[in-house]
Amino acid sequence: MPVDGVVTKGIAYLNEAMLTGESNIIEKYIGEEVIGGTVNMGEPFYCQAKKVGADTVLANISLILSKTLDEIKKIINMTIWKLILCKIMILL
């Protein structure tokens, strides 16, 4: 699925492993939401796009991970500097 949307016709048999880590096939019926990044494992179905680009669930997950990694980098850098300062103080 390239976008987040809603099933409008047919039944979607989706592998949501990209989001959940589980490769179970999930059935989605008319009116149910589908998430971009999932893989259709069944027959074609119709879907009305609801979110595209930066508004999708996958884009938001990516943004959250990016921010988290930035914070981790800051913490690691602060820790390294504290260790360096402690070592300098010990040597003095």
Side-chain angles (χ1 to χ4, degrees), residues 66-79:
S66 178
K67 287 180 179 180
T68 302
L69 289 175
D70 287 343
E71 290 302 315
I72 290 171
K73 287 178 190 175
K74 289 177 187 176
I75 292 169
I76 290 172
N77 284 337
M78 285 187 340
T79 304

Side-chain angles (χ1 to χ4, degrees), residues 53-66:
D55 295 330
T56 63
V57 169
L58 198 54
N60 283 311
I61 290 171
S62 178
L63 180 63
I64 290 167
L65 286 174
S66 178

Side-chain angles (χ1 to χ4, degrees), residues 36-52:
T38 58
V39 179
N40 181 22
M41 304 300 288
E43 298 293 320
F45 64 94
Y46 289 87
C47 173
Q48 179 181 7
K50 293 291 183 179
K51 296 179 183 175
V52 297

